[in-house]
Amino acid sequence: MSDVIADLKQQGTQQLVHALRDRLARSQQRVEDVPAPQPEGRLSRMVGMTLEAEGIRLPVGGRAAIHTTNGTLLGAEVVGFQGERTFLMPEGKLEGLAPGARIEPLEQARRIPVGPALLGRVIDALGKPLDGGGPIRTAELAPIEGRPMNPLGRVPVTEPLDVGIRALNGLLSVGRGQRIGLFAGSGVGKSVLLGMMTRHTAADVIVVGLIGERGREVNEFIYDILDEESRQRTVVVAVPADQSPLLRQHGAWVSTTIAESFRDRGLNVLLLMDSLTRFAQGAREIAMAIGEPPATKGYSASVFARLPQLVERAGNGDRGGGSITAFYTVLAEGDDQNDPIVDSARAILDGHVVLAREIAETGRYPAIDVGASVSRVMSAVVTPEHQKAAFRFRNLMSTYARNRDLIAVGAYRKGADPALDEAVAMNPRLEAYLAQGRLDKASFEDSRRQLFELLGLATGR
Ligand SMILES: Nc1ncnc2c1ncn2[C@@H]1O[C@H](COP(=O)(O)OP(=O)(O)O)[C@@H](O)[C@H]1O
Ligand SMILES: [Mg+2]
């Protein structure tokens, strides 16, 4: 203002008024150009995993850093608010948090490294390397929420994808860009099957999201199940069960974001997410922590909204772009058909493959229950002859299954029912078709040819 006063001495009052107005207008403009600094806040309450802050004004999804008594910063994300109070979920361990701790707002969207620099690497939900392979050198960053895609711009699923598994290639053919559920209880061969697909699938890049598994299982998958060759074209995102629910949820988004970055380069990506159930449970924990009322089996409504939001990001891209074919494992214990996540997944995915414990117990792997599984895109990706052969196979399986008890107690007599006789005679060969060693590959062509041969059909297309 002192120079304004100097002006006053030099100029008349009229001119002064003009000069003042001009200066005011210019300074206002400058204030509008610069984003208002976000006010800092204080930690006021902590219940379980939920932190309550006062003073910050961040939107849901916004990030902040909390000053701990250890002198470190703990990242946290806004998950809700009530009046002046903001609810946050921590990204890391809840250590060194004291009442009144300073909370600094951070730059908006979280970005993670994406693209080829990640191939062969294992990272966590924050995009940090876990494999001791040094820092990930790339300038390519993407926000984990993804970007909306016009559903009408998507290329429809029309081409089969060779996944190297005979039962899938032959009977439950997978299409490029399809999203499939893999429903199974624990210990029935999910991880082994996913591992076989990483080795044998005709995809350019494989992204594996290991969400909410035990640490031991994560290690086993990376070091025993993946082999050296497939690891070179694979990116693993690992978020074990002991990590915060926020990170378990983010792990699924991060894997999807990485898959999208390769799809946008025109590549064909296989995305394997193990498991969708743990992602949903992470979302459930967050919803419960901020007081959202549960709807079905403790899952609140927002959880069911998150599932389609996640799986809609996979699939085919625009014309000329690449694809994301995705498998989401869903924990289905016993015959619990009422599990709301199983129901919801079945509704939003383009098919499901069921692994059955009874089958695993007989020692036939992969323990795929063909009758209970369906690929909704099969008719669009295979020839009518192939579809017909698969239908015939299913028919023989179900005839046998309907009479299994009769056969088991020795009440089956040959000659009474020709259809059953055929199903019984064929059964060992059908079972042999479905069985596949963990190191064996069955190409799409071989799977189809063997199916036709088995059923005594001309080896057509
Ligand atoms: N294709 C296969 N061939 C032989 N054994 C298998 C096969 N798939 C699974 N198994 C057996 O089943 C066990 C459990 O498999 P796993 O994939 O770890 O189950 P899940 O991931 O569903 O808990 C394996 O340790 C292995 O003994
Ligand atoms: Mg497993």
Side-chain angles (χ1 to χ4, degrees), residues 119-142:
L119 290 172
R121 303 300 304 266
V122 183
I123 61 166
D124 66 10
L126 301 169
K128 304 243 157 53
L130 289 175
D131 52 9
I136 289 155
R137 293 184 207 285
T138 180
E140 228 184 304
L141 300 171

Side-chain angles (χ1 to χ4, degrees), residues 185-193 196 217 220 365-366 436-438:
S186 60
V188 291
K190 267 184 293 79
S191 300
V192 172
L193 184 61
M196 287 168 78
E217 291 170 311
E220 224 172 67
Y365 288 103
Q436 186 171 336
R438 52 200 300 173

Side-chain angles (χ1 to χ4, degrees), residues 84-249:
E84 294 297 302
R85 289 176 301 153
T86 304
F87 302 133
L88 298 138
M89 274 278 161
E91 289 168 353
K93 289 218 166 63
L94 286 173
E95 282 167 3
L97 291 181
R102 268 177 64 207
I103 303 180
E104 271 180 73
L106 294 176
E107 178 214 341
Q108 271 307 323
R110 184 216 299 284
R111 288 164 178 274
I112 51 133
V114 293
L118 289 172
L119 290 172
R121 303 300 304 266
V122 183
I123 61 166
D124 66 10
L126 301 169
K128 304 243 157 53
L130 289 175
D131 52 9
I136 289 155
R137 293 184 207 285
T138 180
E140 228 184 304
L141 300 171
I144 66 174
E145 292 85 14
R147 47 176 180 73
M149 204 173 149
N150 179 359
L152 300 179
R154 275 181 197 276
V155 178
V157 178
T158 53
E159 263 180 77
L161 177 71
D162 186 346
V163 293
I165 312 293
R166 188 161 41 242
L168 298 183
N169 282 341
L171 305 168
L172 296 159
S173 309
V174 175
R176 229 176 247 292
Q178 187 179 5
R179 292 153 305 183
I180 307 131
L182 185 60
F183 295 4
S186 60
V188 291
K190 267 184 293 79
S191 300
V192 172
L193 184 61
L194 294 181
M196 287 168 78
M197 287 197 279
T198 61
R199 278 197 293 278
H200 304 319
T201 299
D204 301 313
V205 171
I206 294 146
V207 180
V208 184
L210 300 175
I211 316 296
E213 295 279 281
R214 280 165 291 174
R216 180 185 58 77
E217 291 170 311
V218 170
N219 266 322
E220 224 172 67
F221 190 87
I222 296 167
Y223 299 105
D224 298 346
I225 294 186
L226 280 184
D227 64 355
E228 194 46 46
E229 205 190 322
S230 48
R231 199 167 325 165
Q232 295 312 314
R233 55 170 188 154
T234 302
V235 182
V236 178
V237 179
V239 189
D242 60 352
Q243 303 237 321
S244 90
L246 185 73
L247 293 190
R248 271 179 273 147
Q249 191 182 287

Side-chain angles (χ1 to χ4, degrees), residues 277 297 299 330-333 336-344:
T277 304
K297 283 219 175 170
Y299 289 99
V330 177
L331 289 172
E333 281 307 339
D336 191 0
Q337 295 300 319
N338 298 321
D339 178 358
I341 301 303
V342 171
D343 274 353
S344 186

